[in-house]
Amino acid sequence: MLIALDLDGTVWDHHDISSLYPPFKRVSPLKIQDNRGAEVTLRKHVRDFLQWARNSGHIITTLSWNDFQVAYQALRAFEIDAYFHYLVIEPHPRKDKMLYYLLRRIKAERGVEIKPQDIVYIDDRDIHIREIWENIGPVRFIQFGIDVKCFLEIIPLLSA
């Protein structure tokens, strides 16, 4: 299974990490701060979820509309970058195109063709899902904050 995670508002509480000013420094286990003092909080249990997903053999990717360098520095500051097999972070809103090219890359690199029904897309907003369904197919969508309030709630949904 491919698990695609949005970052802003999903993995962390900030809604536009690209507007911040790295370098980031870690101020607590779940909090980083940019060089102007803006704080970003990692959602509780994200690490537990990512560890479960890796241990379960899932392919994990980001699927984020952001500036790559800023988002990557935040992932590194939180020390969660290594959990992801792929970092798909691009400065445009077309997540369907990001996912399309990722699926081609996975097929070329791993020889694995991932079907839409084997993709789980997790985002705090549903604004991209229509284009993904139209151009990729019926991926499973979990809306963070609506369908689940905590990353630990996702594990039984994907284990069933």
Side-chain angles (χ1 to χ4, degrees):
M1 180 181 313
L2 175 68
I3 299 173
L5 288 167
D6 171 58
L7 296 175
D8 291 343
T10 304
V11 168
W12 48 63
D13 67 346
H14 201 278
H15 290 284
D16 185 12
I17 201 82
S18 296
S19 68
L20 299 185
Y21 296 89
F24 295 101
K25 70 176 181 178
R26 191 86 163 269
V27 294
S28 76
L30 295 179
K31 201 168 289 218
I32 60 172
Q33 192 175 68
D34 78 351
N35 71 8
R36 293 188 177 181
E39 292 186 339
V40 180
T41 304
L42 189 69
R43 300 284 186 202
K44 288 182 181 177
H45 304 295
V46 167
R47 282 187 190 89
D48 299 320
F49 172 75
L50 292 170
Q51 186 66 52
W52 168 84
R54 282 204 63 123
N55 290 345
S56 299
H58 301 300
I59 300 171
I60 311 165
T61 185
T62 60
L63 199 60
S64 181
W65 169 14
N66 265 304
D67 175 275
F68 182 88
Q69 285 303 322
V70 177
Y72 177 67
Q73 288 185 50
L75 290 166
R76 298 242 337 162
F78 280 123
E79 298 177 359
I80 61 170
D81 57 304
Y83 288 105
F84 294 92
H85 296 95
Y86 298 95
L87 296 175
V88 180
I89 303 167
E90 298 181 8
H92 62 82
R94 293 298 305 270
K95 292 190 178 186
D96 59 320
K97 289 186 177 190
M98 292 181 217
L99 187 54
Y100 173 77
Y101 289 113
L102 174 63
L103 293 173
R104 287 182 55 183
R105 181 176 169 197
I106 290 170
K107 185 174 182 182
E109 290 177 3
R110 297 173 179 243
V112 175
E113 188 164 343
I114 299 173
K115 295 178 172 61
Q117 59 268 26
D118 295 325
I119 300 170
V120 176
Y121 169 51
I122 303 166
D123 197 328
D124 65 310
R125 301 184 305 164
D126 63 2
I127 63 170
H128 305 288
I129 194 61
R130 185 171 168 211
E131 286 177 331
I132 291 173
W133 284 341
E134 288 173 355
N135 298 311
I136 302 296
V139 307
R140 183 170 181 186
F141 176 58
I142 297 172
Q143 189 169 1
F144 191 85
I146 303 292
D147 300 324
V148 296
K149 306 282 189 220
C150 172
F151 272 87
L152 291 180
E153 294 175 42
I154 300 170
I155 295 171
L157 295 176
L158 302 185
S159 299

